[in-house]
Amino acid sequence: MGVNGNGKRNGWTYNKKSLKHNIEKNNHVKTVRKKLLEEKLKKKFQK
């Protein structure tokens, strides 16, 4: 993959927005984030 004059890559299927959107939609990422949030809240309330 080469770089154009404007600094964008040739042949790259995702830009930053679409990549972020795909990560946000990903069910695996959602479940991991939910578990991390639950653990964080448990620790907070145990204190």
Side-chain angles (χ1 to χ4, degrees):
M1 280 185 272
V3 177
N4 288 340
N6 60 5
K8 293 185 178 179
R9 291 183 176 198
N10 292 335
W12 193 250
T13 54
Y14 297 113
N15 60 20
K16 286 183 181 179
K17 277 189 178 179
S18 67
L19 188 60
K20 184 179 180 188
H21 182 70
N22 286 337
I23 290 172
E24 295 293 328
K25 280 194 336 186
N26 190 332
N27 283 331
H28 179 70
V29 173
K30 282 183 185 177
T31 55
V32 170
R33 285 185 178 166
K34 188 176 178 184
K35 286 180 185 178
L36 288 172
L37 185 63
E38 287 173 0
E39 287 180 23
K40 187 176 176 182
L41 289 174
K42 280 182 189 177
K43 287 181 183 178
K44 192 173 185 178
F45 287 122
Q46 283 177 354
K47 290 183 179 179

